[in-house]
Amino acid sequence: ARYWPEKVGDRKNYDEVTVCFESDKRTGSFVTHRVFKVTSEEGDELTVDHYHYTGWSDLEAPKEFEQLKDLVDKAVDMLGAEYLKKDDRHKLLVHCRGGQGRQGAMITLINAMLTVKQQLSAGVQEPILSVFSIVHRIQQQRHFFGHAD
């Protein structure tokens, strides 16, 4: 389901917020970067950077690894400084149509990269990473994370 206006320059109301479609740019064969300005009824504004990766069909491997890696790197760069400072002003929302497999893989990859980055910034020469621990921690926060039905 589409949750943004059709064309750049359009505005659409969704309950208490208005979304203005600011820009739309293809950044790779499977990646589109859109920018939205979201305004609340009270006048609070938020800029949303929306990266749409279409090269990963459900129950398949990603078609273009480099572009997927670029998306993970963008997320890590965007969150990195805030994550390391424990500053929660920047949020990241990851979703897919199914809501488990691809989404879970992306969240795990981003968490793994942030964990390594945090260790490196603390001076650890050889970072240690436990994917099991990352998935377990996320499962405690999100009930059906990583479960296959």
Side-chain angles (χ1 to χ4, degrees):
R2 185 182 200 95
Y3 50 87
W4 63 87
E6 287 289 322
K7 300 181 305 211
V8 173
D10 285 356
R11 294 178 182 278
K12 189 167 182 183
N13 293 322
Y14 299 91
D15 295 324
E16 299 95 30
V17 299
T18 300
V19 177
C20 180
F21 194 167
E22 300 274 310
S23 67
D24 187 17
K25 180 181 177 189
R26 193 99 169 150
T27 60
S29 52
F30 295 108
V31 180
T32 303
H33 176 211
R34 297 179 183 97
V35 177
F36 305 110
K37 182 80 69 183
V38 180
T39 308
S40 71
E41 288 178 332
E42 294 80 27
D44 297 322
E45 284 189 351
L46 174 69
T47 299
V48 176
D49 284 283
H50 178 266
Y51 292 91
H52 189 182
Y53 181 75
T54 58
W56 193 354
S57 298
D58 202 13
L59 305 174
E60 293 182 11
K63 289 184 176 78
E64 186 75 38
F65 176 75
E66 283 304 313
Q67 289 184 19
L68 183 65
K69 181 184 176 303
D70 289 347
L71 279 179
V72 171
D73 290 343
K74 274 187 199 318
V76 170
D77 289 345
M78 192 231 9
L79 292 174
E82 287 74 22
Y83 180 83
L84 297 174
K85 292 186 303 189
K86 302 294 184 213
D87 181 353
D88 65 352
R89 290 179 300 149
H90 291 86
K91 305 290 186 212
L92 177 69
L93 172 67
V94 176
H95 72 90
C96 69
R97 192 174 302 263
Q100 291 184 353
R102 294 167 290 181
Q103 177 177 318
M106 281 294 289
I107 292 169
T108 301
L109 284 168
I110 292 165
N111 270 270
M113 294 299 293
L114 285 169
T115 299
V116 169
K117 190 172 188 169
Q118 183 180 33
Q119 289 180 40
L120 289 171
S121 74
V124 175
Q125 296 296 315
E126 294 183 30
I128 298 170
L129 183 68
S130 169
V131 175
F132 174 80
S133 294
I134 291 169
V135 171
H136 180 71
R137 184 178 68 241
I138 297 169
Q139 283 176 330
Q140 291 174 325
Q141 299 167 0
R142 185 172 179 265
H143 183 54
F144 287 107
F145 181 88
H147 290 263
D149 292 332

